Amino acid sequence: MKPAAPLPSHSALRTPHRRVQRIGGAATLALCCLALTACGPDVQGSPKPPSAFGPVQSSWFGCPSLQGVYAWPPVEPGGVRGSLPFFTGSPEMQVWVQQQRGETTLRTRTVNRARNVRTSLTRQWSLVTYGGAQARCSSGMFDLVPQTVSPDKEPGASGVLQGFRLALLKDGGLAVGKRTVSTGNKGSYFSWGGQSYGSYDAPDVETWTWLKLARTAAGDSEPPVIDAYVPGATAP
């Protein structure tokens, strides 16, 4: 009779178990990271206008018309910085929105309140027109499809997309939302001592900021020029 083989020591039994635990933990972490990317972007801010702006105007079909004349600067700044869907080059401006034949045109021009300042900008419109694939109606609000604002990025590097949302408010004002999407982000499975180990595709980061413009006219026709200049005046 052959002698019975010795049983494995207690430590030998535990070693595979520990290894399985480590492998299982890493697999769970990887699955969690993949799940994060599959759940959509990390949204900061709200895709809807702040409640302080008042309720949004609804429509039975599509989006309500945004046509009208609005005043710049905003009555509710809301934290929007940088570019907007229309030109902004003066402290005070008229913003004229027209919608016809599937196109939306946003015009801006300077308002001059000083009697001793002469400028031709009060009579010259800057304009941007959106139509076709650039714009769509979404949840009763008018979306301008995000465009790349960092074309110099290397392929595979993180980039930035920027879009806008326009919403007519029940008080006649215009809510302007700015949507910034950071893409191509990376995350690490583990960090220790300033070093990162392993990487995965992290979710996009979508940031929303809003401002509100007050309505000043219906916009069916070109609004009158606002220019206080008086020849010979020496004081505002």
Side-chain angles (χ1 to χ4, degrees), residues 138-206:
S138 176
S139 302
M141 293 176 282
F142 191 74
D143 278 352
L144 303 179
V145 178
Q147 304 290 326
T148 302
V149 294
S150 53
D152 56 332
K153 293 286 186 180
E154 292 294 328
S158 60
V160 177
L161 299 174
Q162 189 170 275
F164 300 95
R165 173 170 286 182
L166 307 177
L168 184 67
L169 304 172
K170 286 190 174 181
D171 66 1
L174 181 68
V176 180
K178 183 174 182 178
R179 177 191 179 195
T180 304
V181 182
S182 173
T183 64
N185 302 307
K186 296 290 183 181
S188 60
Y189 292 114
F190 180 70
S191 298
W192 181 262
Q195 296 291 324
S196 298
Y197 302 92
S199 65
Y200 61 90
D201 293 333
D204 295 343
V205 179
E206 182 177 299

